[in-house]
Amino acid sequence: MTYSTRGADPATAPAFLAPLDQVGAGLPGSGLSWLTELRTAGRERFAAVGLPTIKNESWRYTNLRDLAKTSFQPAAPAAAVIDLLPTVRAEGQDGPRLVFVDGRFRADLSSVEGLPPGVELLSIAAALNSHADLLADHVGRLAAADDRPLVALNSAYLADGAVLHVPAGVQVERPIELVFVSVGSETQATSCHPRSLLIAEAGSKAVVVEHHVGRGAGTTLANHVTEVFVGEGATLHHYKSQRDGGGAIHLSHIAATVATGGCYDNFILTTGAKLSRNEVVSRLDGTEARTHVSGGYLVRGTQHADTTTVIVHAQPNGTSREVYKGVIDDTARAVFQGKITVCPDAQKTDGYQLNRALLLSDGAEIDSKPELEIHADDVKCSHGCTAGELDDDALFYLRARGIDRDTAQGLLVGAFLSESLEEIAEESIRDAFQGIVAGWLEEQK
């Protein structure tokens, strides 16, 4: 189904389209000309093209027709369920954390204690008052609304999200946590559009952990956009776990640029949401730049999880590594689209991509589309893509030693996912994510 707002009947148009003409009024930073232009451009672009459809090649396997039929209302202020707030910190240890509930910053649940001098960690809404020039220089530079309708929609509603600015040469030792809680409503579908900005200047280092959590079957839409700037010789580890509720729609676009000698390390673990799509675009804009774009997904029931990645080698001697592994059960469906592009000047590129999926039932499905687009002649690039079932011999071996079937299956699935989890460089975060996998497997029994 093709959906466009042009000439759309207001009775059938998604409710989040209705107030587009009034977007900007009452939002933070409404007096900033650059922000007004960004919001207006986003509004006009989305009104012109509407939601992406399966006629768009990059959306071929993920259909948003149910989204177009749902009447969403902007999420109202909500009380966070405290037991939903996760952590990767040691027990009793304080650390920097920003918490957002249905897209709105919650100062009472947040803390910036433990940050080195000069590091800025605050909400977009606050930064529009105190760091407007920093935002003007970065917001909208990487995540363009021209060819991405959901980025346009996010820009139209840009109001809050996280800002992290690490100055040159600063090393942030403790993980910085960004927590996005979806509470929603029991009586209506709700939506929010968080925008985040992560900046690691030259020679700096930081670890950012995003948690996306929710509860219940209420319908919620979270349309996230994150722009990431990694300076010369800087390293940014960016890890994300998505455990939204059973009625959630989780859409995310991450756009990163990496300067000479820098490294952007991204890992996404998906276990939640009714429908999710994680897009990661990492562009190596400097020589000897590196990026790791990896993750894992575990879905069951009727879940749909889409992972779409683009790695662009724009300069010589760049290195990229991509390892995604997924487990699919019942009638769930997963999508993996991974593209590595090597530009003409990017000689001596080394690119590696691997996607493997484990199907636990006859109704499980995976659509994989690995791509290499190479315009240079002195490169080393490879990709692999496989899907299959559990090894019957391995399962029999474990069963023959007195291990029940559920436990044996859990051991094999855990071993299968271990390769992707090993891509997480930070041990405490790797352990936390392994715990999420273990919890998912326990629920399978």
Side-chain angles (χ1 to χ4, degrees), residues 215-374:
R215 172 178 292 165
T219 300
T220 60
L221 166 65
N223 176 33
H224 295 263
V225 172
T226 302
E227 293 175 284
V228 181
F229 295 82
V230 180
E232 291 189 14
T235 298
L236 182 65
H237 299 283
H238 185 194
Y239 306 126
K240 170 181 173 180
S241 72
Q242 188 275 103
R243 291 174 282 166
D244 282 321
I249 300 168
H250 179 99
L251 305 174
S252 169
H253 177 76
I254 298 172
T257 181
V258 188
T260 297
C263 179
Y264 175 61
D265 175 28
N266 176 281
F267 187 97
I268 299 174
L269 178 62
T270 295
T271 60
K274 173 176 64 177
L275 183 150
S276 66
R277 177 175 166 112
N278 284 291
E279 296 179 353
V280 182
V281 179
S282 183
R283 183 179 175 90
L284 304 182
D285 281 321
T287 58
E288 299 184 344
R290 295 170 291 134
T291 190
H292 303 154
V293 177
S294 300
Y297 46 92
L298 301 96
V299 289
R300 58 190 170 208
T302 58
Q303 285 181 278
H304 180 105
D306 181 331
T307 298
T308 296
T309 68
V310 178
I311 297 174
V312 179
H313 289 264
Q315 298 295 329
N317 298 297
T319 302
S320 64
R321 178 176 174 85
E322 183 171 9
V323 178
Y324 271 92
K325 286 196 169 186
V327 178
I328 310 156
D329 202 0
D330 302 322
T331 58
R333 182 180 183 185
V335 177
F336 175 80
Q337 301 179 107
K339 183 176 183 178
I340 298 176
T341 298
V342 181
C343 297
D345 294 333
Q347 304 292 346
K348 303 293 184 182
T349 284
D350 185 353
Y352 172 80
Q353 180 192 96
L354 175 68
N355 172 238
R356 288 180 178 165
L358 188 59
L359 308 178
L360 300 183
S361 68
D362 292 339
E365 184 177 346
I366 173 73
D367 293 296
S368 290
K369 185 185 176 186
E371 293 182 83
L372 296 177
E373 183 179 329
I374 301 174

Side-chain angles (χ1 to χ4, degrees), residues 99-437:
V99 177
F100 299 84
V101 180
D102 287 333
R104 302 188 182 205
F105 177 61
R106 286 287 298 271
D108 57 318
L109 302 173
S110 304
S111 171
V112 295
E113 297 296 326
L115 288 172
V119 176
E120 303 282 356
L121 179 63
L122 67 168
S123 69
I124 281 273
L128 287 170
N129 293 321
S130 60
H131 296 73
D133 290 343
L134 177 71
L135 269 58
D137 289 341
H138 292 86
V139 173
R141 274 184 52 194
L142 301 180
D146 293 347
D147 59 348
R148 298 185 186 275
L150 292 170
V151 173
L153 182 63
N154 179 281
S155 298
Y157 283 100
L158 196 159
D160 215 346
V163 177
L164 171 65
H165 179 214
V166 185
V170 175
Q171 309 280 311
V172 183
E173 299 299 332
R174 293 181 178 178
I176 296 168
E177 294 185 302
L178 307 178
V179 182
F180 296 88
V181 182
S182 292
V183 176
S185 168
E186 295 181 358
T187 59
Q188 62 185 13
T190 61
S191 64
C192 63
H193 306 270
R195 185 70 162 244
S196 295
L197 175 64
L198 310 178
I199 304 170
E201 293 192 358
S204 65
K205 180 180 179 181
V207 178
V208 175
V209 187
E210 287 189 33
H211 307 272
H212 297 259
V213 293
R215 172 178 292 165
T219 300
T220 60
L221 166 65
N223 176 33
H224 295 263
V225 172
T226 302
E227 293 175 284
V228 181
F229 295 82
V230 180
E232 291 189 14
T235 298
L236 182 65
H237 299 283
H238 185 194
Y239 306 126
K240 170 181 173 180
S241 72
Q242 188 275 103
R243 291 174 282 166
D244 282 321
I249 300 168
H250 179 99
L251 305 174
S252 169
H253 177 76
I254 298 172
T257 181
V258 188
T260 297
C263 179
Y264 175 61
D265 175 28
N266 176 281
F267 187 97
I268 299 174
L269 178 62
T270 295
T271 60
K274 173 176 64 177
L275 183 150
S276 66
R277 177 175 166 112
N278 284 291
E279 296 179 353
V280 182
V281 179
S282 183
R283 183 179 175 90
L284 304 182
D285 281 321
T287 58
E288 299 184 344
R290 295 170 291 134
T291 190
H292 303 154
V293 177
S294 300
Y297 46 92
L298 301 96
V299 289
R300 58 190 170 208
T302 58
Q303 285 181 278
H304 180 105
D306 181 331
T307 298
T308 296
T309 68
V310 178
I311 297 174
V312 179
H313 289 264
Q315 298 295 329
N317 298 297
T319 302
S320 64
R321 178 176 174 85
E322 183 171 9
V323 178
Y324 271 92
K325 286 196 169 186
V327 178
I328 310 156
D329 202 0
D330 302 322
T331 58
R333 182 180 183 185
V335 177
F336 175 80
Q337 301 179 107
K339 183 176 183 178
I340 298 176
T341 298
V342 181
C343 297
D345 294 333
Q347 304 292 346
K348 303 293 184 182
T349 284
D350 185 353
Y352 172 80
Q353 180 192 96
L354 175 68
N355 172 238
R356 288 180 178 165
L358 188 59
L359 308 178
L360 300 183
S361 68
D362 292 339
E365 184 177 346
I366 173 73
D367 293 296
S368 290
K369 185 185 176 186
E371 293 182 83
L372 296 177
E373 183 179 329
I374 301 174
H375 301 281
D377 53 14
D378 186 8
V379 303
K380 183 172 68 174
C381 290
S382 64
H383 65 76
C385 177
T386 62
E389 301 175 344
L390 282 173
D391 187 327
D392 287 337
D393 290 339
L395 192 60
F396 176 80
Y397 177 86
L398 294 173
R399 294 292 307 279
R401 277 147 184 79
I403 301 175
D404 65 85
R405 182 179 179 82
D406 288 342
T407 301
Q409 178 172 293
L411 290 171
L412 293 176
V413 170
F416 172 78
L417 289 169
S418 63
E419 182 179 1
S420 62
L421 291 168
E422 286 300 320
E423 296 297 311
I424 301 175
E426 299 294 318
E427 183 178 358
S428 63
I429 298 166
R430 184 167 62 246
D431 291 345
F433 280 29
Q434 286 174 337
I436 295 171
V437 170

